[in-house]
Amino acid sequence: MAIANCARCGKLYQKPAGVKICAECVQSEEDAYRLVRDHLEANPGIELPALSAATGVDESQIERFVRQGRLAMLEEHAEGLVVECQRCGAPITSGRHCAACTEAIAQELKASVETLRDRQLGGRPDPLREKRARDSSSWRQGR
């Protein structure tokens, strides 16, 4: 394990792979999450500023919980907790992008992959493109 500075408090800690904060900050974040979750269950429909004021948990941290989908299971209680799609600004209840933007990003990525594949083939037709298209449509249809 590597040694790193905690991204939250700056303290040195042994960094497991993929973990950016120390164990104390992880515990603090979990305590904040439980506090937000419990308050949200007791006060359905509460909005972000009021939830932050009532719990003492920073709005940005609550927004992070929403984006991570950690409050999605409380959807009926969390109707007042919406964040904006990072691409178009539409209101969403979890994640980074709305469904429309997620689909658009997927299509753009697919088009980029096809463009790169065409460039690699130097203008020659891709012998596997037709097979991939058939396989993809068969898979979507549940065959």
Side-chain angles (χ1 to χ4, degrees):
M1 263 189 260
I3 295 179
N5 288 88
C6 175
R8 191 165 171 203
C9 71
K11 183 175 115 181
L12 278 175
Y13 73 107
Q14 283 191 319
K15 182 182 188 241
V19 179
K20 296 180 181 178
I21 59 177
C22 68
E24 290 84 11
C25 287
V26 167
Q27 185 60 50
S28 172
E29 194 162 296
E30 288 305 308
D31 292 343
Y33 167 72
R34 279 191 287 281
L35 186 63
V36 166
R37 182 197 62 206
D38 293 347
H39 195 79
L40 193 56
E41 286 177 338
N43 301 281
I46 191 169
E47 293 186 4
L48 184 61
L51 182 58
S52 176
T55 61
V57 177
D58 191 52
E59 284 186 34
S60 64
Q61 190 169 10
I62 296 171
E63 184 176 314
R64 198 168 46 251
F65 295 150
V66 172
R67 288 200 183 280
Q68 292 170 344
R70 295 183 72 183
L71 299 172
M73 65 187 167
L74 302 171
E75 192 172 317
E76 67 278 358
H77 298 290
E79 58 201 31
L81 294 182
V82 293
V83 294
E84 291 182 353
C85 170
Q86 290 181 337
R87 188 167 189 226
C88 72
I92 55 175
T93 57
S94 67
R96 296 177 60 192
H97 301 104
C98 64
C101 287
T102 299
E103 179 63 29
I105 290 167
Q107 291 301 321
E108 291 167 11
L109 183 58
K110 183 177 178 182
S112 294
V113 167
E114 292 296 325
T115 300
L116 287 172
R117 187 173 291 126
D118 290 344
R119 285 184 187 160
Q120 285 180 332
L121 292 170
R124 297 185 316 268
D126 181 358
L128 296 177
R129 178 179 281 170
E130 220 174 280
K131 182 180 181 332
R132 282 192 302 271
R134 280 193 313 271
D135 291 348
S136 176
S137 66
S138 295
W139 178 79
R140 282 190 212 123
Q141 294 173 0
R143 295 181 190 156

